[in-house]
Amino acid sequence: QVQLVESGGGSSQAGGSLRLSCSGSGYPFSNLCMAWFRQAPGKEREGVASISTTGAVIDYDDSVKGRFTISRDNAKNTLYLQMNSLKPEDTGIYYCAAAGAPWRSCGLGINFAYWGQGTQVTVSS
C-alpha cells in the first residue's frame, strides 16, 4: 500500500514562493508516476504537474507553466513542487498522487490510485 504525506504548505503574498514536499512509502518510489493536484474552494480538483519515474517526462497544466517546477528525488522517496510567482488563484489544497504507470503513460490524464491527505496553500493579494 502506497502512503503519501505532503508538507510545506502555508501562506504567501502574491509574487512569493513556496515549496511543497511529498514523502512516499510502502512501494518502490522509483517505480511510481507522481503528480500534484489541487482543489480550490468550490471548484473541482485539477491536475497541476506530473513527473515520470526517472523525471524524463514532465507535464504541466497551462496555468502553472513557467512558474511551478515539479521534481523528484528517488533516493529520498520524495516528490517536490517549487511554486514561484504565486497568484491568489493558486490558493487551494494541494495533493500528492501516485500511480504505477510506466514512463510512457505518465501524465495528468491518467488514473492516480494513491493520494496524500493534502496541504493548504493560501496566496493573498
Side-chain angles (χ1 to χ4, degrees):
Q1 181 74 11
V2 177
Q3 294 182 328
L4 303 171
V5 179
E6 302 96 337
S7 61
S11 299
S12 174
Q13 296 281 340
S17 298
L18 287 171
R19 189 192 196 201
L20 306 183
S21 299
C22 171
S23 177
S25 62
Y27 190 86
F29 189 81
S30 60
N31 290 350
L32 294 170
C33 166
M34 301 295 298
W36 288 99
F37 286 75
R38 66 186 180 189
Q39 187 166 19
K43 295 187 177 180
E44 293 187 355
R45 187 171 58 194
E46 63 178 1
V48 175
S50 64
I51 185 168
S52 62
T53 52
T54 62
V57 179
I58 291 177
D59 186 21
Y60 291 104
D61 183 77
D62 286 346
S63 65
V64 305
K65 283 181 180 177
R67 301 188 298 121
F68 291 9
T69 302
I70 189 171
S71 62
R72 64 191 297 162
D73 186 336
N74 288 338
K76 296 182 178 180
N77 294 341
T78 303
L79 174 74
Y80 302 100
L81 185 68
Q82 178 65 45
M83 304 186 294
N84 298 329
S85 302
L86 284 163
K87 303 176 180 180
E89 51 263 44
D90 293 321
T91 294
I93 300 174
Y94 282 69
Y95 299 92
C96 172
W103 68 270
R104 291 182 180 85
S105 303
C106 186
L108 290 173
I110 69 171
N111 180 46
F112 287 86
Y114 306 102
W115 296 83
Q117 83 289 349
T119 186
Q120 177 71 45
V121 171
T122 303
V123 184
S124 57
S125 58

